[in-house]
Amino acid sequence: MDQHDLLTRIQRSGRLHGRNESRRVTATVLGVLSELLPASAYRRLTAHLPEDLRRTLPRPESDRIVEIVDCRRFLDRVADRLYTDGGDAAFLVRAVLSELNATADSAHLLPRPVAPYPVPRAVSPAEVAHLVPTDLRALFRSRPLEPWTVDAGASGMEALLRGTSRPLIAERPTRAVPAERPIRVAVNERPTRIPTADAKV
């Protein structure tokens, strides 16, 4: 997972001022998630995050008791730690979770790193939504408004090495492109029979 792409997209979706604020908001949201999710699910959710971002996250203990927190209390915790109100907290939480979902959904399009040990599959917030209360699941399953593309998910050097700037996930075209040679097909037209010398007139 490219840290620059993830934080840049969260910065754009959350309308934040810079990368440091984007990193702080992401770490805060994931920190509150560590209090709601089981330790194993939280570790899989954050396993593919960049090391610089993962170092700022809490490490939940396996034998701890998971709290049952509804949507209002969850957003209140985020708001208190970000020193903002509930409306801004809900907006920022949705920006973080939707970009994490988009990145995890498109992880299969990126080349897998070669590692001497098995790398676990990235788990998105949508895949652990069943572990949280019902009123939080829609927030966990949110998606960004802008489509995720491979070239948007790669750094400039990776796009240069691939030698293309065309995304593998094509967006819907705004207008139809006419064909070079239109072909007309008559549906109910019977084929014309050419008489031969043996045919009876």
Side-chain angles (χ1 to χ4, degrees), residues 79-189:
D80 291 342
R81 300 179 190 184
L82 291 177
Y83 302 102
T84 184
D85 57 12
D88 288 342
F91 178 76
L92 294 174
V93 168
R94 188 191 185 281
V96 172
L97 295 181
S98 62
E99 295 300 340
L100 288 175
N101 280 328
T103 307
D105 292 344
S106 303
H108 67 282
L109 297 176
L110 297 176
R112 294 181 61 87
V114 179
Y117 51 87
V119 179
R121 185 178 62 88
V123 174
S124 64
E127 293 178 281
V128 298
H130 64 283
L131 301 175
V132 299
T134 308
D135 56 353
L136 272 174
R137 294 177 184 176
L139 194 60
F140 272 58
R141 292 167 179 158
S142 58
R143 292 295 189 276
L145 299 178
E146 297 181 6
W148 196 96
T149 60
V150 171
D151 289 312
S155 61
M157 182 59 67
E158 291 175 352
L160 181 62
L161 291 176
R162 280 203 301 268
T164 177
S165 60
R166 181 176 58 86
L168 296 183
I169 302 178
E171 300 181 9
R172 181 177 297 179
T174 55
R175 60 185 180 86
V177 179
E180 296 181 358
R181 295 182 179 180
I183 301 175
R184 296 179 181 179
V185 178
V187 178
N188 297 324
E189 183 179 353

Side-chain angles (χ1 to χ4, degrees), residues 44-65:
R44 292 192 63 187
L45 179 65
T46 59
H48 291 259
L49 293 177
E51 183 64 26
D52 293 342
L53 182 59
R54 245 187 308 130
R55 280 200 299 261
T56 62
L57 302 178
R59 296 182 179 180
E61 301 177 358
S62 301
D63 56 349
R64 67 182 176 88
I65 300 176

